[in-house]
Amino acid sequence: FTLVVLPHESTMRVSFHLLVGVVLTASSAWAAPLPASVTLKRSNLSLRGGQGPQLTRSASQQDMSNPNVKRPGPAGEDAVSKKIWSLSSSYKPADKTSIQKSVVHHAEHTLATDRYNFDQGTAYQAVAYSVRDYLVESLRDTKAHYVKEDPKRVYYLSLEFLMGRSLLNSLMNLDLQAPYKEALQEIGYKLEDLVEEEKDAALGNGGLGRLAACFLDSMATLNLPAWGYGIRYEHGMFEQRFKDGNQVEYPDTWLTKGNPWEIQRIDIKYPVVFYGCETVMAMAYDVPIPGYDTINTNSLRLWSAMPDTEIDLTKFNEGDYGTALAARQRALEITQVLYPNDNNYAGKELRLKQQYFFVSASLQDMINNFMSAKPGRQWEELPDKVAMQLNDTHPSIAVAELMRLLMDTYQLGWSLAWGIVVKVFAYTNHTVLPEALEKWSVSLMQSLLPRVSEIIFEINRRWLLEVREVYGENGEMSAKLSIVEGEGEHQMFRMAHLAIVGSFKVNGVAAIHAEIVKSDVFPQFVDYYKRKGVTDKFIGITNGVTCRRWMAQCNPSLSAVITKALGSDKWVRNLDLLEGLRKFENDDTVLKEMSDSKMENKKRLAAYVKLHCDVDVDCNTMFDIQVKRIHEYKRQLLNVLHVIHRYHTLKAMTPAEREKMVKRTVFIGGKAAAGYYVAKKIISLANAVGRTINSDPDTKDFLKLVYIPNYKVGNAQVIIPANDISEHISTAGTEASGTSNMKFVMNGGLIIGTDDGANIEIKECVKEENIFIFGAKCPDIPEATRRMKEGAAWDGRLVNVVNMIRSGKFGNPLDFEPVLNSIENGKDRYLVAHDFSSYLECQDRVDKEYKSPKTWNQKCLMALSGMGFFSTDRTIEEYAQKIWNCKPCPRPDPRIATK
């Protein structure tokens, strides 16, 4: 144990802590007063005594519970305010007995259940409401501080926030995990069991939403005055199940039992108008976002749609119930489902409704915050007080909507309004695929949002005048730079173009992606701004992940090894400290502890797979994992084709030869969009191959393929820590960044991947010998694509694999023809056939290295030690400095400055 002395205003508390992986106990004793000269800063913390790891939590909710620590007082001096403050001047206590009382209180008074007998689900809800109490106190005090200080604020607009579960994350960031664990045990519950009762918040789909969630964690941790804005979807994208190996979509009803983490703000509503006349109300729900090792708590504000008029009572009384409730139904449809299928007009219209709905409400809220913070404020001050980040093109309609609000609602002229808009917005591009750059039909936009359409046309008219000033009557350049594409009924609004024209910064999300954005995706814009003397509009900021959730929380055993080796848990807040692990490359004790941690995590995944897939997995095999959204460019197909080849090779061997092979269990997981036919067929093929090889008595001990259903944050936290090797094998130049690659290496595994996205920077940081790279590189892609279109010969091993599929070995071959057709006859757009031989050679290298356990463990350690750069804390610091010009705004520490 380590003695940690935490100073505050009049007392000091002695506590024994260990963050992760080890038992933590806490004392509630209070000792002698500190000298008045002592101030609490991270650099002042005294770390003394003991032989175990040292802890550095300078901001713990346990400390705030001292009755001598006071909350901020009221702004007013009237008697009522003083009385209210006297009733609520202390923070909610966090000792064991108080926690127990709080849980029982919420079980009886909030959930109205029998306090002597409530089940696991009710216990989870009661615990969640109990923890939320601390978050609400911190959230209110943080917001009051922001109002007082009036800092520049960041508003992060994203259609997705893939938050995952909140209970464990909140407890860890508040430093309450150990007290709650002890308190719950005494009243008959295990914290780890209650964690499993929580459903993942279904507010996102893939990397875009998970990145946004990591960003929120880091914004709060860095004390930035920043909020997320999104949609409170009633249902997620879908719950993935399999029927005969085929993906079947079921409703993701994550709100069936309510969401104890959200705060319904019935006092915050804004009107959003469609078709020029139909009004829908956006009502706010706030989700507190606690930072790690800080007393600041930010929020994610989600919008739920409701009608402005509940019911047409006249129609209802006439018996016309459908018409009476029609407006209500149309409103509720907007926030029902994440990403409705847009293969039809109604689906497209609903998606556009969703985007405009949350953007309009968020902008109205932003303006309200700006104006109310300082009465009489001038509009010219807005860019100095607000930065709005557009997370991909989904919220890009905000450029036109802010113009509409400033001109139509607040009566600003065009020039003043536009001068404000282009200083407020920044745009993050997340794709290099042309089809993923969002476009909307002009006719659809004119029908749904007539005034916004007028404004976009006017923005474009004025923009093209500026273009002509630079290029003259160059019709080709004007067409390429125009926000409006095409003519007549085929006219489209190019939303990425609108975002670029209306933003002061455009950023890519990895070094190579930033260059591709400039050279291949938007080269005409880069040339235009260069001619105007603007050379820094397009920049790159490499993505990251939060190590709080993706290391300390999901992998406590490895985190304990790291903390022990480094002698401190400071790495949880400063991931660059992982470099200190390099010196243990030849330390057999540390290598064994890492190996033991890996085995523990593999056993956990094996138990999960047995429960959910009914497949027995040998934990002594290599765990080879690829989990991500299913898309042709991510090349899950290449992985499956390799598995078939490996299976064929094993079948041809004698038993003695097989014994010399590395045993592998391949895990694949991920959802295909409901309307993405080929992706769904790739899933079907993977399941068919798994059924065959997993039951083959000759090979099942040497090779298995398991498709894990319904991939999400919750099971990712079980899957990722178990990896020996993970696959990030997108065609070079197609993946903007990727973040799962970072998570896998941070959890003690190695990568097999292409020179694509963040893989390139990971290779630079972990060193080339600790990553397995294959395939065509970006400069090779045009020539490789040309050769495949012209019918270049395939590797004979791939021909054999395709023949096996068509032979019926894995089921009816007609089921898999769409998949095979996607790479045959010159259609190999993503170079699956082209890279196949290189991929097999790389897999052979993986096998060779894995046969030496010590060498493999050394590689894993060295790779882990190089991952400090990929923390979202670093990413967000770059956004704050290079784009937002936003400074930290930490709350005054109430342990020192009490009113």
Side-chain angles (χ1 to χ4, degrees):
F1 294 97
T2 299
L3 179 63
V4 184
V5 180
L6 301 173
H8 43 74
E9 183 199 23
S10 60
T11 60
M12 70 177 181
R13 172 169 168 262
V14 178
S15 59
F16 294 92
H17 290 271
L18 193 55
L19 174 66
V20 287
V22 182
V23 176
L24 183 154
T25 61
S27 168
S28 59
W30 296 86
L34 288 170
S37 59
V38 173
T39 58
L40 183 65
K41 297 180 181 178
R42 293 186 64 87
S43 58
N44 291 352
L45 290 174
S46 176
L47 301 173
R48 305 185 185 282
Q51 299 300 311
Q54 298 171 334
L55 296 184
T56 59
R57 295 297 289 266
S58 61
S60 169
Q61 188 66 42
Q62 297 175 64
D63 299 326
M64 308 289 276
S65 298
N66 175 11
N68 294 325
V69 175
K70 301 300 182 183
R71 297 184 66 187
E77 295 296 326
D78 59 283
V80 172
S81 295
K82 290 181 178 179
K83 178 61 178 177
I84 292 174
W85 184 75
S86 71
L87 298 172
S88 58
S89 61
S90 297
Y91 288 95
K92 178 179 177 178
D95 60 276
K96 181 177 64 176
T97 301
S98 296
I99 289 171
Q100 292 166 340
K101 287 181 178 179
S102 176
V103 172
V104 173
H105 166 82
H106 281 293
E108 181 173 33
H109 294 90
T110 304
L111 301 169
T113 192
D114 182 353
R115 69 185 188 276
Y116 295 108
N117 183 24
F118 47 96
D119 61 18
Q120 294 276 88
T122 303
Y124 155 70
Q125 294 264 346
V127 169
Y129 280 115
S130 170
V131 175
R132 196 187 76 166
D133 290 344
Y134 300 106
L135 296 176
V136 170
E137 285 183 345
S138 179
L139 177 64
R140 295 310 311 165
D141 288 353
T142 301
K143 286 193 173 184
H145 176 63
Y146 291 162
V147 169
K148 178 182 177 182
E149 295 298 316
D150 191 26
K152 184 173 186 179
R153 306 187 188 199
V154 175
Y155 299 90
Y156 194 82
L157 274 60
S158 179
L159 202 59
E160 293 186 41
F161 287 94
L162 197 56
M163 302 301 293
R165 294 167 170 171
S166 294
L167 176 55
L168 203 57
N169 189 69
S170 297
L171 288 173
M172 190 186 81
N173 281 11
L174 292 169
D175 194 27
L176 290 177
Q177 189 170 342
Y180 263 81
K181 184 173 184 177
E182 182 183 4
L184 290 170
Q185 281 177 335
E186 287 194 4
I187 58 174
Y189 298 96
K190 292 183 178 180
L191 177 59
E192 53 268 31
D193 293 339
L194 300 188
V195 166
E196 295 302 316
E197 292 290 326
E198 182 176 1
K199 295 200 72 171
D200 280 34
L203 302 172
N205 172 37
L208 183 81
R210 187 53 237 169
L211 179 75
C214 286
F215 276 14
L216 294 182
D217 176 87
S218 286
M219 290 171 186
T221 297
L222 295 172
N223 296 315
L224 293 176
W227 283 263
Y229 278 103
I231 293 178
R232 182 183 181 266
Y233 300 101
E234 294 281 340
H235 299 86
M237 186 173 176
F238 57 81
E239 179 185 333
Q240 181 192 56
R241 301 180 195 172
F242 298 133
K243 183 178 181 181
D244 300 325
N246 302 309
Q247 173 180 290
V248 181
E249 299 91 22
Y250 286 80
D252 185 355
T253 53
W254 74 285
L255 285 173
T256 303
K257 297 182 179 180
N259 178 16
W261 302 103
E262 67 185 12
I263 304 160
Q264 184 181 18
R265 301 300 307 271
I266 58 176
D267 57 321
I268 300 178
K269 299 177 187 173
Y270 297 101
V272 180
V273 180
F274 298 105
Y275 310 107
C277 60
E278 184 175 296
T279 301
V280 172
M281 301 303 294
M283 182 165 64
Y285 285 75
D286 286 347
V287 180
I289 307 295
Y292 176 84
D293 202 21
T294 174
I295 57 176
N296 279 33
T297 294
N298 290 338
S299 68
L300 166 61
R301 177 157 288 178
L302 302 172
W303 300 106
S304 183
M306 57 185 297
D308 67 333
T309 303
E310 282 290 319
I311 187 172
D312 185 333
L313 194 56
T314 300
K315 291 290 186 183
F316 191 88
N317 288 333
E318 291 173 354
D320 189 355
Y321 306 129
T323 302
L325 296 171
R328 175 181 175 81
Q329 181 60 33
R330 286 195 299 273
L332 296 180
E333 286 172 356
I334 295 173
T335 52
Q336 277 297 305
V337 178
L338 167 68
Y339 290 152
N341 194 334
D342 63 352
N343 287 348
N344 53 68
Y345 182 87
K348 287 182 172 65
E349 183 181 62
L350 183 53
R351 281 207 185 192
L352 182 54
K353 272 188 174 182
Q354 288 181 334
Q355 294 181 10
Y356 181 72
F357 168 79
F358 102 90
V359 160
S360 180
S362 301
L363 290 174
Q364 291 179 69
D365 197 46
M366 175 275 290
I367 291 173
N368 182 59
N369 291 339
F370 169 73
M371 297 182 71
S372 61
K374 188 178 178 182
R377 178 167 261 162
Q378 299 298 306
W379 285 107
E380 289 84 352
E381 296 178 59
L382 187 64
D384 296 326
K385 292 298 180 180
V386 169
M388 304 202 78
Q389 191 71 36
L390 306 175
N391 192 26
D392 216 359
T393 54
H394 306 127
S396 58
I397 201 169
V399 172
E401 174 62 4
L402 184 54
M403 285 294 291
R404 186 193 70 79
L405 290 167
L406 293 176
M407 293 191 302
D408 295 2
T409 304
Y410 297 100
Q411 307 303 309
L412 272 66
W414 182 281
S415 296
L416 177 56
W418 185 248
I420 292 170
V421 166
V422 296
K423 295 176 183 177
V424 165
F425 288 110
Y427 160 53
T428 300
N429 173 274
H430 283 280
T431 185
V432 299
L433 301 178
E435 64 269 26
L437 293 172
E438 198 166 46
K439 301 177 184 179
W440 286 112
S441 162
V442 168
S443 60
L444 170 61
M445 185 84 77
Q446 287 175 326
S447 170
L448 186 66
L449 305 168
R451 177 60 175 146
V452 170
S453 298
E454 290 177 358
I455 291 172
I456 296 176
F457 272 119
E458 181 61 16
I459 291 172
N460 192 53
R461 186 187 71 80
R462 293 174 182 243
W463 162 244
L464 290 181
L465 290 176
E466 295 181 21
V467 170
R468 290 190 186 100
E469 289 180 3
V470 174
Y471 295 105
E473 296 301 320
N474 185 334
E476 181 182 358
M477 187 59 76
S478 292
K480 289 180 178 179
L481 289 171
S482 176
I483 297 168
V484 183
E485 176 186 67
E487 299 290 340
E489 63 181 19
H490 300 295
Q491 268 193 330
M492 307 289 285
F493 287 131
R494 297 191 279 205
M495 304 309 287
H497 286 43
L498 177 63
I500 293 170
V501 173
S503 297
F504 65 90
K505 274 284 188 290
V506 178
N507 73 283
V509 292
I512 186 174
H513 175 241
E515 292 306 311
I516 291 173
V517 164
K518 290 189 285 187
S519 63
D520 296 353
V521 184
F522 303 120
Q524 293 83 15
F525 281 96
V526 173
D527 184 72
Y528 167 82
Y529 286 108
K530 182 178 180 182
R531 289 171 183 247
K532 297 285 285 186
V534 180
T535 59
D536 62 346
K537 178 158 182 163
F538 291 81
I539 65 173
I541 299 179
T542 300
N543 283 342
V545 301
T546 169
C547 64
R548 266 80 66 182
R549 182 180 291 271
W550 294 110
M551 293 179 72
Q553 187 184 132
C554 77
N555 200 339
S557 60
L558 178 61
S559 298
V561 173
I562 296 170
T563 298
K564 179 181 176 182
L566 297 180
S568 165
D569 71 331
K570 289 181 181 179
W571 62 271
V572 181
R573 180 57 185 81
N574 179 7
L575 204 60
D576 287 334
L577 295 177
L578 291 181
E579 287 187 4
L581 295 173
R582 295 185 188 278
K583 64 185 178 184
F584 298 102
E585 182 181 9
N586 296 304
D587 189 312
D588 290 339
T589 299
V590 173
L591 294 176
K592 184 180 185 305
E593 288 173 347
M594 279 192 65
S595 179
D596 290 344
S597 165
K598 181 64 64 179
M599 180 56 67
E600 179 181 324
N601 289 318
K602 291 170 80 168
K603 289 178 179 178
R604 184 170 56 150
L605 176 56
Y608 180 91
V609 167
K610 179 62 177 175
L611 177 64
H612 293 276
C613 307
D614 196 26
V615 177
D616 292 305
V617 170
D618 181 359
C619 294
N620 292 308
T621 62
M622 177 197 293
F623 277 21
D624 176 349
I625 303 176
Q626 185 182 25
V627 283
K628 53 188 73 209
R629 181 168 52 92
I630 306 301
H631 196 291
E632 289 168 273
Y633 85 83
K634 293 180 183 288
R635 300 203 296 190
Q636 286 90 353
L637 176 58
L638 182 59
N639 190 355
V640 175
L641 296 176
H642 166 252
V643 171
I644 297 173
H645 166 73
R646 194 176 185 94
Y647 171 61
H648 176 263
T649 302
L650 286 166
K651 286 289 286 184
M653 288 179 170
T654 65
E657 289 172 326
R658 287 184 199 128
E659 290 296 336
K660 298 177 183 178
M661 293 288 288
V662 170
K663 298 179 180 180
R664 256 195 224 213
T665 303
V666 178
F667 300 92
I668 300 178
K671 298 177 182 178
Y676 194 168
Y677 184 69
V678 173
K680 293 174 78 170
K681 284 297 182 182
I682 291 172
I683 293 175
S684 301
L685 176 61
N687 277 319
V689 172
R691 281 197 305 270
T692 299
I693 67 175
N694 295 352
S695 60
D696 190 317
D698 293 335
T699 62
K700 66 180 182 179
D701 292 337
F702 299 89
L703 178 65
K704 283 186 177 176
L705 170 58
V706 179
Y707 202 110
I708 300 175
N710 206 38
Y711 180 60
K712 55 187 177 181
V713 176
N715 57 22
Q717 291 181 230
V718 177
I719 296 167
I720 291 173
N723 86 98
D724 289 308
I725 188 120
S726 60
E727 311 245 357
H728 310 276
I729 56 178
S730 53
T731 313
T734 61
E735 185 73 82
S737 169
T739 53
S740 66
N741 44 9
M742 305 169 190
K743 296 167 191 169
F744 278 102
V745 183
M746 288 179 183
N747 279 275
L750 300 179
I751 282 177
I752 179 168
T754 49
D755 256 341
D756 194 30
N759 284 355
I760 295 173
E761 288 160 276
I762 291 175
K763 180 177 67 175
E764 293 173 357
C765 291
V766 307
K767 307 305 180 187
E768 196 161 357
E769 62 268 24
N770 299 315
I771 188 171
F772 299 92
I773 298 294
F774 75 96
K777 302 183 186 303
C778 274
D780 307 326
I781 297 299
E783 175 63 16
T785 302
R786 182 192 65 78
R787 287 193 289 109
M788 298 312 292
K789 282 184 177 179
E790 293 176 357
W794 284 11
D795 185 292
R797 294 167 294 184
L798 178 57
V799 173
N800 182 65
V801 166
V802 170
N803 288 340
M804 284 184 70
I805 295 172
R806 287 206 164 108
S807 73
K809 178 69 176 176
F810 307 108
N812 186 347
L814 294 177
D815 291 340
F816 311 125
E817 279 300 314
V819 175
L820 300 181
N821 291 340
S822 71
I823 62 174
E824 293 178 321
N825 302 317
K827 299 177 184 176
D828 189 16
R829 176 182 177 185
Y830 297 111
L831 303 182
V832 172
H834 179 276
D835 284 352
F836 186 74
S837 60
S838 175
Y839 184 51
L840 295 193
E841 291 164 7
C842 192
Q843 294 284 11
D844 288 342
R845 297 202 306 272
V846 171
D847 283 344
K848 181 180 178 181
E849 296 287 358
Y850 194 75
K851 287 181 178 179
S852 171
K854 181 172 181 178
T855 300
W856 186 269
N857 290 334
Q858 287 174 315
K859 286 179 173 293
C860 293
L861 175 70
M862 297 305 287
L864 172 60
S865 69
M867 292 303 291
F869 177 76
F870 300 99
S871 165
T872 37
D873 294 349
R874 185 271 313 156
T875 305
I876 291 301
E877 284 176 345
E878 288 195 44
Y879 273 89
Q881 294 165 9
K882 297 180 179 180
I883 299 179
W884 303 330
N885 190 28
C886 178
K887 308 298 182 185
C889 189
R891 282 168 51 198
D893 196 310
R895 294 169 294 181
I896 305 166
T898 59
K899 187 172 177 68

